[in-house]
Amino acid sequence: MILLVAMTLSLSALAPAVNADSGTEAEFLSKINATRAAEGLGALQLDDALRSHARSHTDDMVATGQIFHSTEADLTTAAGTGWSGIAENVGKGKSPTSLHDAFMASPAHRMNTLGDYNYVGIGTDTSGGYLYVTVVFVGRDDGIASDTSGYNTFADSESKGSVGVVDISTGEWNLLDLAGNTTHFFYGTPGDLPFVGDWDCDGDETPGLYRQSDGFVYLRNSNLQGVANISFFVGDPADVPLAGDFDGDGCDTISIYRPSESRIYVINDLGVNGEGLGQADFSYIFGNPGDNPFVGDFDNDLVDEVGLHRESTGLVYFRNTHTQGNADSQFIFGDPGDKIVAAEWARRGAPGPETVGLFRPSTGNIFLRYTNSQGNANETLTYGVATALPVAGDFGVLTGGDTPPQPG
């Protein structure tokens, strides 16, 4: 078993922790630097302060029976002054080899390992036959190249900036965490339009459905199979749902885009069970008929905005305010027929703008771009089926362990 994710263990089931010797930590360092060398990157230098923090944090994980990340305050204290970037990987497995291989198979952990850092601290601990590890990466401007621009890339199981696909022909949801694990469940009926949002303001984005035939919305507060926790109706038949935090209060709500009018109706409250949502707080016209809407915080102001995607040409455009006018940004990305989403791919949940991703139903590929600009994908995944639509966001801790969807 290999865990790169946060989980809770029974404290009574834990064997006493035994500090691994420095040889285990040296083996991790050797594997990291060999992998970096194979990619043409410089070796990381061991830092005593980072190692001390990593060892202490790993001991804390074993003592509490959980896999979790250091606080940002503790990491910046350990990094000292003059740092330009910090990242952290944590995990649990049987050996340095199995853990390192699992890190490299996970896009976010791999990005940390191969990032623009020049110092590292590694701490290991063993308990109950398993090896726990904390790896802290730091870039410092001391003559060794480092240009991460202050990224805090904490790769974890909370699936920040992650993706999923929903088969709208069956109502099957498949959510992918950053360690590459799939959580599968059924929710909804064929033809419902899927999306995710933080309906209960707890920081986790969970399923929502919009039934275009009658305008009903069905929301759940967990990423598990079950019935809706909240349901209400909004809009007219054929409206398109928009899920986001449109007023910056930390809670997501449902707004709508009316294709027949090219008009966005913003609503900053959720409905009451079984009742109508009422009038919009405001509305404005944006875009051309036939373009498909999507939501993201494109300017990192903690307020979600609305963008539009022209599937016939790959044109993406958006405004940074909820006002009528010309696009603040536009570019071409992807092929005709691709389906668009947005999330914090580059920083995986740390502060930063949300950028575009595409799902290609014909191949089951997902293409993620780390900036809102024209260019090739920075990350490509194979995940999904031809009858699926993509969802993206911060899913929280997922159960994992399910078989991923297979294209074809």
Side-chain angles (χ1 to χ4, degrees), residues 86 92 188 222 226 260 302 304 321 324 327 360 368:
I86 305 174
K92 169 189 173 183
S222 65
S260 62
L302 304 182
D304 287 327
T321 58
Q324 189 166 324
R360 186 163 297 163
L368 308 180

Side-chain angles (χ1 to χ4, degrees), residues 349-363:
E354 296 185 334
T355 57
V356 295
L358 295 172
F359 172 64
R360 186 163 297 163
S362 61
T363 63

Side-chain angles (χ1 to χ4, degrees), residues 27 55 60 153:
E27 186 175 351
R55 287 175 170 175
D60 289 344
T153 312

Side-chain angles (χ1 to χ4, degrees), residues 196-208:
V196 296
D198 183 5
W199 320 122
D200 57 1
C201 314
D202 68 349
D204 296 341
E205 294 182 281
T206 51

Side-chain angles (χ1 to χ4, degrees), residues 310-332:
R310 191 165 299 163
E311 288 190 9
S312 61
T313 64
L315 175 66
V316 178
Y317 59 105
F318 56 82
R319 284 184 59 75
N320 291 324
T321 58
H322 286 290
T323 56
Q324 189 166 324
N326 295 326
D328 292 308
S329 180
Q330 64 179 30
F331 54 93
I332 301 293

